[in-house]
Amino acid sequence: VDEDEVSIFQEEREKERRRRRRDGERDKKRRENGRRKASKDVGEGEEKYQTKREKRERGKTKRSKNDREAKRRETYKEEPVKVKNNEEEDDKEKELRPEDLSPEELEKLKEAVDERKKLIQSLRGKPWPMKKKLVALRESQEFVEKYEGALGKGKGRKLYAYKVMMTKKWMKFQRDLENFKTACIPWEMKIKEIESHFGSSVASYFIFLRWMYGINMILFGLTFGLVMVPEALMGRPYGSIPRKTVPRAEEASAMDFAVLWDCGGYAQYSVLFYGYYNNQRAIGWLKFRMPLSYFLVGVGTVAYSYMVVIRTMARNANESGVGDDNSFNFSWKTFTSWDYLIGNPETADNKFASITTSFKEAILEEQESRKDDNIHLTRFLRVLANFLVLCCLAGSGYLIYFVVRRSQKFALDGLENHTWWERNEVNMVMSLLGMFCPMLFDVISTLENYHPRVALQWQLGRIFALFLGNLYTFIIALMDEINLKREEEMIVKFNITMWETSLYNGTEPENSTAPPISIHPADVPRGPCWETMVGQEFVRLIISDTMTTYITLLIGDFIRAVLVRFLNYCWCWDLEAGFPSYSEFDVSGNVLGLIFNQGMIWMGAFYAPCLPALNVLRLHVSMYLQCWSVMCCNVPQERVFKASGSNNFYMAMLLVILFLSTLPAIYTIVTIPPSFDCGPFSGKKRMFDVIHETLESDFPAWFGKVFSYASNPGLVLPFILLMVLAIYYLQSTSKSYKEANVELKKKLQAQTHHSSREQQTQNKILPQITFIIVLSIAEPDKS
Amino acid sequence: MVSPAIALAFLPLLLTLIIRYRYYFVLFYRAVLVRIWRDCVTGLSREERAYQYVLVHATPGDPDSILEAFDVWCSKVEYISNIGPKKGKILDRLLMEQSPLTVLELGAHCGYSTVRIARALPLGARLYSVEMDQRNAAIAEKIIRLAGFDDDTVELIVNPSDEVIPRLRADYGLERLDFVFMDHWKKSYCPDLQLLEGSGLLGKGSMIVADNVLFPGAPKFLRHIRKSGLYEWKVHRATLEYSKGIRDGMAELVYQGIK
């Protein structure tokens, strides 16, 4: 991973660059226009300039009156001459009007114009100094502009003028369209502004955020359009069946804000959660296959995410794979380390400082790679640091486990008996640990004395481990809870059959086929519905995580900035430059936060269809909030890191998280039978049975047969084998390509080396040859 | 009632703060707590204790040994914010390069920097040292005499700097200052610099060195020199005297005048 400028989303950057270049050209043109105008005004300008200068001289030197008068006379003399000159020039131009020209002259003019045009095209290759080139270019452009339009006569001329006008209009239109396109990219201007202040690494975070937002929009569209809206419009209305009704015991508090905030009450019995959906196979006049749609959307969101992430990764790899990491380290640094998107003096200073320090570090590294002193101490310190980090990880894991067990105890007691703190302990502790442990890691990592880039990677790895550990502890605890709920469900199921029989027994025993007794759905006893519980847990986690992020932002950044800014007037040391200072924007921490947040969404989206919507909201708000907070209360990083190859690093992390978060979801879907009285899959043995059902009833019989043959292990296994072989083949070919690349590079280097050596030898040989020649010339004279 | 688990979750934050700002805690302990305790125990002021130590451990007439004794006392025993050996070396180098004839020092404190500057001056140069506090000035006087510098080399002026600077030309017959060293109250860096500019004592090439511009820090001063455009300036980055982890800087300004 080298520090050269490779941005996260190369494509966007590329577009941007193109736009910039175009802007630059436009500017050039504008400037040239200006110049042209200026050259028209040159006559006047010169005069003005001269008079001014004279005035100044007059003001400075206090000469005698006579002298001054003489001067004035001189200037007066000069002015009429100038005017005459101008008139003469005008006359010349009049003479050159094409209407008055003879055909031969016209011909000549045409040739001249053509020549000028050729010159403009070939100017770049001319071995002239730049000044001459510029002058020639300007002159010939003026010439062409002046006479080209005038060449044609009558109709042709008009047509030509029309053409020129149209091309100009077309160009303007294209420019406007381009501007419009950039204006259409959401938050583009905001991100550019941040980029100019903070460098590309901070901007890369916001681009990543925007990308995430796009993905979440699509996930949201899928779940909203194919699951939530159909159920709300076409499904049975609220209160028609037990799973769609708030139970009698909870009815009193179902609309309380505290209950709603905990995703209970009316929020729980709505389309937001799994349990509300009915297992009716087709709903509404459209015969919408609700359970199938639910299942396919669940699978589709994950599949889509995989596809997008992998495609982006591949594209990034293609673009960044060309760079050469090791050789020409210093020339890379010299020529590519400036971040041209910086537009803020302070950031530029910081960037400058960071480049110089990186040079110093690189030189030191080069020196140290030859000699390493006290390797044992550094090794010991590194081991110690890792040990401390491990302790910290273990501690945080245990704390979360402890808290989750406690919360289960609370849940058994009944949540109403406990305070808000105790009810939200798990989420609070997870968020707090996720916030504070990275700081501790950061402090510990100063022990290790790594190069900052390596240190950053270690830091990222550690935070990753922490988040992952926390998340998996949480999931394991959740699994325990699911098992508890399922046991409870068994009991409830038994009780319900008892209850039903007692109901029937209580009425008319002789007529068992009588219409069932109508009971209000709120009174029907029901199972615990573990799926909704899982969904609720995730929603609560996301909400508390979001809240913590925002509150940290407000306290850690905003309040701190306000205090530093205004207490600085009356404090005994410099708060701004010294100890508390303003906060820096923590790119890696924020990116990781985003990634894990997304992981939670992927994990929980199956059981709580509202999660993508929630996430879109969160990302939207945090886009504005973070943009604001960055511009308002952060200072540019002291060591401005480039958003270098870390982009793909982030992407790889996202992929890992995606995999790890789909794992538990798939596990629960495949192994645990769905609840018997809630959700779209109730009554089935497994959730994926919905596919079999569809195949059997909605498709023709032969299709089902074909499918059953295709899913036969005898066919699937060879197919998988084939896929593995194909992957292996592709892998090996890509490896050989890479090797060939390296070989070519080596050859190229060897060639340049060889040629330079040849030159050297030539340089050595040449004097010798001349010396010999001189000798041979001199000797005959002697003899 | 916040549950203990949530309180435990704040432990990493606490640890982080302690580890990250350990130098500041150490400084607080050494510069404030130890000082108060010693003041109560001995009944002497901090400067007097330092003077006693120097008197016992240094050779009279030898500036180097006096400076060394000061350094030992400040790093081993107690803490006084002298310029310190590391930044002192930079100061020495600047003085050697410049070899100024008239030097103004603002804030003599107990004479460490005065001795340091006087040691590096060329023959015939004169150092005006300004100290506001009477007791500190008395100690500084003793230290200077102990180091063997007489009235011709070092003149100690006991007055606040903002009163002294406007009267320098009239009272001491100064025409031009070649070198100014600032190490007094950080808040008066900026007004004093403006006074110096106004007094017309600075000529082209006059050098002004200001200590502690980053910690405790003189932001207004830095802002002023950045904006005024009268100086060529740079900040020598170093650590705070007698402390390893706190970053500090010494500003070096060369007066260019109005172009």
Side-chain angles (χ1 to χ4, degrees):
Chain A
V1 187
D2 58 323
E3 284 200 7
D4 64 327
E5 173 77 3
V6 186
S7 50
I8 288 199
F9 299 107
Q10 208 88 11
E11 191 194 41
E12 269 153 294
R13 194 56 53 73
E14 194 64 36
K15 259 188 217 161
E16 173 56 22
R17 220 173 283 152
R18 253 179 266 148
R19 212 195 71 211
R20 249 156 225 260
R21 214 178 297 147
R22 214 172 301 127
D23 281 355
E25 278 170 11
R26 230 174 286 146
D27 274 357
K28 228 188 267 166
K29 266 176 204 161
R30 227 172 283 145
R31 246 178 278 140
E32 270 162 17
N33 280 335
R35 244 182 255 147
R36 250 170 254 150
K37 267 183 205 161
S39 65
K40 270 180 200 166
D41 297 340
V42 148
E44 285 175 26
E46 261 175 25
E47 273 171 33
K48 268 181 199 165
Y49 173 69
Q50 240 159 10
T51 44
K52 244 187 216 167
R53 204 174 54 187
E54 250 138 37
K55 265 182 203 162
R56 212 180 297 146
E57 270 175 25
R58 258 179 267 150
K60 265 185 190 171
T61 57
K62 290 175 184 172
R63 287 180 189 170
S64 67
K65 221 178 180 182
N66 289 345
D67 258 6
R68 222 183 291 164
E69 269 179 20
K71 273 251 162 184
R72 218 176 266 169
R73 242 174 280 140
E74 268 176 33
T75 54
Y76 279 118
K77 243 186 233 165
E78 264 174 28
E79 269 165 25
V81 172
K82 282 265 158 160
V83 170
K84 241 180 217 170
N85 268 347
N86 273 359
E87 278 171 10
E88 272 172 23
E89 269 173 31
D90 281 355
D91 287 351
K92 256 185 207 167
E93 267 182 32
K94 261 177 202 162
E95 272 171 31
L96 281 174
R97 288 274 147 146
E99 290 91 339
D100 317 327
L101 285 175
S102 62
E104 295 96 64
E105 275 172 324
L106 255 181
E107 211 41 46
K108 253 187 204 170
L109 205 58
K110 222 175 204 172
E111 264 175 33
V113 167
D114 280 348
E115 223 163 78
R116 293 293 171 113
K117 271 186 179 171
K118 262 183 213 164
L119 182 71
I120 290 171
Q121 275 187 346
S122 63
L123 196 71
R124 201 167 271 175
K126 285 254 159 48
W128 294 344
M130 198 42 110
K131 227 177 194 175
K132 192 179 170 187
K133 270 188 192 178
L134 282 176
V135 169
L137 181 69
R138 204 182 311 143
E139 276 177 356
S140 37
Q141 268 175 347
E142 264 169 46
F143 188 84
V144 169
E145 179 115 330
K146 201 169 174 187
Y147 292 112
E148 199 179 28
L151 270 181
K153 258 188 182 175
K155 246 188 187 177
R157 193 176 156 204
K158 253 184 196 165
L159 193 71
Y160 184 81
Y162 182 68
K163 242 188 193 167
V164 168
M165 199 184 73
M166 280 318 284
T167 47
K168 273 185 182 165
K169 281 252 168 83
W170 174 241
M171 271 166 72
K172 189 171 179 302
F173 172 72
Q174 272 181 327
R175 196 192 303 159
D176 287 347
L177 192 72
E178 221 34 70
N179 284 349
F180 178 69
K181 267 188 204 160
T182 31
C184 279
I185 303 172
W187 302 303
E188 181 72 2
M189 290 321 292
K190 262 187 180 187
I191 292 175
K192 287 295 154 221
E193 200 183 341
I194 287 170
E195 188 163 33
S196 78
H197 276 81
F198 292 87
S200 58
S201 71
V202 174
S204 79
Y205 165 73
F206 285 97
I207 293 171
F208 190 63
L209 183 62
R210 189 173 63 186
W211 185 77
M212 279 295 204
Y213 184 78
I215 288 183
N216 275 292
M217 270 313 248
I218 288 171
L219 297 190
F220 166 66
L222 279 175
T223 46
F224 191 72
L226 293 177
V227 174
M228 289 163 83
V229 170
E231 176 69 25
L233 289 183
M234 301 187 285
R236 287 193 176 182
Y238 173 81
S240 53
I241 46 173
R243 72 184 65 179
K244 297 198 176 198
T245 325
V246 178
R248 193 67 75 192
E250 296 172 22
E251 241 169 23
S253 63
M255 208 51 202
D256 290 0
F257 181 73
V259 174
L260 288 179
W261 186 252
D262 279 345
C263 310
Y266 284 111
Q268 185 182 345
Y269 298 96
S270 67
V271 283
L272 303 181
F273 290 101
Y274 174 95
Y276 181 80
Y277 293 83
N278 195 4
N279 63 343
Q280 200 180 348
R281 218 171 65 80
I283 55 171
W285 53 274
L286 275 176
K287 297 284 169 213
F288 190 77
R289 306 288 195 263
M290 192 61 220
L292 181 71
S293 160
Y294 195 100
F295 189 79
L296 287 184
V297 164
V299 174
T301 48
V302 170
Y304 171 75
S305 314
Y306 267 112
M307 206 180 67
V308 168
V309 172
I310 289 179
R311 217 178 48 196
T312 316
M313 266 185 83
R315 204 164 46 211
N316 280 358
N318 272 347
E319 278 171 5
S320 63
V322 191
D324 188 357
D325 297 351
N326 305 322
S327 49
F328 315 123
N329 192 6
F330 283 93
S331 39
W332 275 120
K333 273 202 165 61
T334 318
F335 293 114
T336 63
S337 49
W338 189 252
D339 191 342
Y340 284 94
L341 300 173
I342 290 175
N344 186 29
E346 199 181 343
T347 320
D349 280 353
N350 282 354
K351 185 70 204 172
F352 178 75
S354 86
I355 289 173
T356 43
T357 45
S358 85
F359 258 105
K360 278 178 199 163
E361 274 164 9
I363 292 168
L364 276 181
E365 247 176 66
E366 284 287 322
Q367 282 173 351
E368 265 172 30
S369 63
R370 278 158 210 166
K371 53 138 197 179
D372 32 5
D373 49 345
N374 211 350
I375 188 93
H376 296 298
L377 180 67
T378 34
R379 263 184 203 155
F380 169 72
L381 283 178
R382 280 171 192 183
V383 168
L384 182 71
N386 280 315
F387 175 71
L388 288 176
V389 168
L390 273 182
C391 285
C392 187
L393 285 177
S396 76
Y398 179 73
L399 191 62
I400 287 174
Y401 189 72
F402 171 76
V403 167
V404 171
R405 293 313 285 269
R406 227 162 79 110
S407 80
Q408 284 166 7
K409 209 175 70 194
F410 291 158
L412 282 183
D413 290 355
L415 278 176
E416 302 77 39
N417 308 332
H418 296 277
T419 59
W420 187 85
W421 289 106
E422 283 171 334
R423 266 182 284 139
N424 290 289
E425 212 174 39
V426 181
N427 308 326
M428 292 276 293
V429 166
M430 275 186 71
S431 312
L432 287 177
L433 283 177
M435 199 161 60
F436 296 142
C437 281
M439 292 184 191
L440 190 60
F441 293 163
D442 195 24
V443 165
I444 289 174
S445 70
T446 50
L447 267 183
E448 297 176 308
N449 200 19
Y450 276 126
H451 182 274
R453 217 182 313 125
V454 183
L456 185 72
Q457 279 174 359
W458 273 94
Q459 171 79 354
L460 280 176
R462 278 168 191 161
I463 301 176
F464 193 78
L466 172 81
F467 282 9
L468 205 64
N470 291 357
L471 207 61
Y472 262 74
T473 323
F474 178 72
I475 287 165
I476 287 167
L478 218 61
M479 284 288 181
D480 286 354
E481 213 162 333
I482 288 174
N483 288 335
L484 279 177
K485 290 261 169 177
R486 285 189 55 218
E487 279 164 23
E488 197 186 325
E489 193 183 283
M490 299 289 279
I491 298 165
V492 168
K493 226 174 177 177
F494 180 71
N495 281 350
I496 283 176
T497 45
M498 295 293 287
W499 175 75
E500 274 176 349
T501 48
S502 75
L503 259 183
Y504 285 113
N505 288 342
T507 48
E508 287 149 43
E510 73 274 6
N511 194 2
S512 58
T513 53
I517 311 110
S518 65
I519 303 165
H520 195 270
D523 296 325
V524 177
R526 57 190 78 173
C529 197
W530 59 268
E531 291 97 335
T532 301
M533 185 269 296
V534 172
Q536 278 174 317
E537 287 294 329
F538 274 107
V539 171
R540 267 183 227 149
L541 199 64
I542 292 284
I543 288 177
S544 89
D545 192 53
T546 313
M547 286 295 129
T548 342
T549 317
Y550 293 163
I551 289 171
T552 347
L553 206 75
L554 280 182
I555 293 178
D557 287 358
F558 183 65
I559 304 279
R560 178 173 163 185
V562 166
L563 285 184
V564 165
R565 178 82 180 74
F566 291 105
L567 275 187
N568 204 25
Y569 291 118
C570 51
W571 203 257
C572 55
W573 69 73
D574 188 2
L575 290 170
E576 285 181 350
F579 159 43
S581 183
Y582 297 107
S583 51
E584 287 177 356
F585 188 78
D586 174 22
V587 178
S588 55
N590 274 308
V591 167
L592 278 179
L594 207 61
I595 287 174
F596 272 85
N597 176 51
Q598 193 59 39
M600 283 187 250
I601 300 296
W602 279 322
M603 233 185 267
F606 191 74
Y607 297 119
C610 63
L611 266 184
L614 217 76
N615 201 33
V616 165
L617 201 70
R618 176 209 160 119
L619 291 180
H620 197 92
V621 173
S622 76
M623 189 76 186
Y624 282 104
L625 202 63
Q626 284 191 313
C627 275
W628 165 77
S629 87
V630 154
M631 292 303 280
C632 156
C633 26
N634 284 13
V635 286
Q637 285 150 314
E638 214 167 316
R639 315 185 87 141
V640 182
F641 282 114
K642 288 261 183 58
S644 54
S646 50
N647 310 322
N648 238 0
F649 192 60
Y650 292 147
M651 278 293 158
M653 264 188 212
L654 196 63
L655 188 67
V656 170
I657 282 299
L658 180 53
F659 178 71
L660 290 176
S661 59
T662 47
L663 215 57
I666 288 174
Y667 176 78
T668 50
I669 288 171
V670 172
T671 57
I672 304 177
S675 303
F676 73 98
D677 66 342
C678 68
F681 312 116
S682 57
K684 296 193 176 60
K685 242 182 133 186
R686 294 277 185 264
M687 289 178 192
F688 54 81
D689 283 347
V690 74
I691 297 212
H692 284 283
E693 192 192 74
T694 315
L695 279 177
E696 275 166 19
S697 51
D698 285 346
F699 284 90
W702 62 267
F703 195 85
K705 228 177 226 172
V706 167
F707 193 79
S708 67
Y709 283 136
S711 60
N712 185 10
L715 260 173
V716 169
L717 277 181
F719 184 69
I720 291 176
L721 207 67
L722 198 71
M723 257 167 58
V724 168
L725 281 177
I727 289 172
Y728 178 73
Y729 171 73
L730 288 177
Q731 171 92 22
S732 55
T733 46
S734 78
K735 204 181 255 174
S736 67
Y737 282 143
K738 217 173 251 175
E739 272 171 16
N741 254 347
V742 170
E743 280 301 312
L744 277 176
K745 213 175 270 171
K746 268 186 194 164
K747 260 185 201 168
L748 213 65
Q749 271 181 1
Q751 211 169 20
T752 49
H753 197 69
H754 187 67
S755 63
S756 69
R757 195 184 287 165
E758 236 173 32
Q759 267 187 351
Q760 274 181 0
T761 47
Q762 271 181 3
N763 288 350
K764 268 182 204 164
I765 288 166
L766 261 177
Q768 283 181 354
I769 292 171
T770 45
F771 185 64
I772 290 166
I773 291 168
V774 167
L775 269 187
S776 58
I777 292 167
E779 262 176 327
D781 280 348
K782 258 188 187 175
S783 61
Chain B
M1 220 328 257
V2 179
S3 71
I6 294 178
L8 259 181
F10 278 94
L11 188 69
L13 178 71
L14 196 69
L15 278 176
T16 312
L17 289 180
I18 289 175
I19 297 176
R20 184 169 290 166
Y21 300 118
R22 59 190 182 281
Y23 293 111
Y24 294 93
F25 292 123
V26 169
L27 183 69
F28 178 74
Y29 167 74
R30 289 187 57 206
V32 179
L33 297 184
V34 171
R35 177 186 177 182
I36 292 171
W37 181 63
R38 297 288 299 173
D39 278 357
C40 291
V41 169
T42 57
L44 295 170
S45 76
R46 185 171 55 151
E47 288 77 16
E48 282 164 339
R49 289 197 295 276
Y51 172 66
Q52 281 183 349
Y53 182 89
V54 170
L55 207 57
V56 174
H57 288 85
T59 326
D62 182 7
D64 294 349
S65 100
I66 287 173
L67 293 181
E68 203 176 308
F70 255 119
D71 288 340
V72 170
W73 190 80
C74 291
S75 51
K76 295 272 157 62
V77 188
E78 273 185 59
Y79 182 88
I80 283 186
S81 59
N82 289 323
I83 186 168
K86 276 181 194 154
K87 280 188 282 184
K89 284 226 171 70
I90 301 174
L91 182 66
D92 287 349
R93 182 170 60 77
L94 292 177
L95 281 167
M96 291 294 178
E97 284 168 8
Q98 198 81 357
S99 59
L101 287 177
T102 19
V103 180
L104 176 70
E105 188 200 11
L106 302 175
H109 201 72
C110 47
Y112 179 91
S113 47
T114 317
V115 171
R116 190 131 211 157
I117 294 170
R119 187 180 68 155
L121 285 183
L123 269 179
R126 199 165 155 82
L127 167 63
Y128 299 88
S129 193
V130 179
E131 174 59 45
M132 188 177 78
D133 189 74
Q134 206 81 37
R135 284 161 66 191
N136 287 350
I139 289 164
E141 176 93 33
K142 286 184 216 162
I143 293 278
I144 293 162
R145 301 301 167 239
L146 191 69
F149 298 112
D150 54 4
D151 262 346
D152 293 337
T153 330
V154 180
E155 173 147 0
L156 196 68
I157 305 165
V158 189
N159 246 337
S161 54
D162 52 336
E163 286 178 24
V164 173
I165 293 169
R167 289 192 284 113
L168 272 178
R169 197 188 280 270
D171 290 6
Y172 300 94
L174 281 178
E175 277 307 310
R176 176 196 150 98
L177 287 168
D178 297 323
F179 195 95
V180 179
F181 179 66
M182 292 184 169
D183 195 8
H184 54 313
W185 284 109
K186 314 306 164 204
K187 283 231 165 103
S188 26
Y189 276 17
C190 186
D192 282 354
L193 187 70
Q194 280 162 342
L195 277 180
L196 279 172
E197 283 165 15
S199 70
L201 286 168
L202 298 175
K204 192 172 183 323
S206 294
M207 186 181 275
I208 299 159
V209 173
D211 191 21
N212 301 111
V213 289
L214 296 187
F215 184 90
K220 279 182 194 160
F221 175 76
L222 288 179
R223 216 169 294 143
H224 174 70
I225 56 177
R226 204 173 288 151
K227 274 185 188 160
S228 70
L230 293 171
Y231 307 95
E232 259 180 25
W233 62 285
K234 61 180 168 187
V235 174
H236 297 278
R237 293 190 181 257
T239 58
L240 190 70
E241 51 271 6
Y242 314 119
S243 163
K244 259 187 285 177
I246 303 174
R247 286 187 307 155
D248 187 21
M250 203 163 77
E252 172 201 331
L253 289 69
V254 180
Y255 189 78
Q256 297 294 322
I258 300 157
K259 280 162 205 162

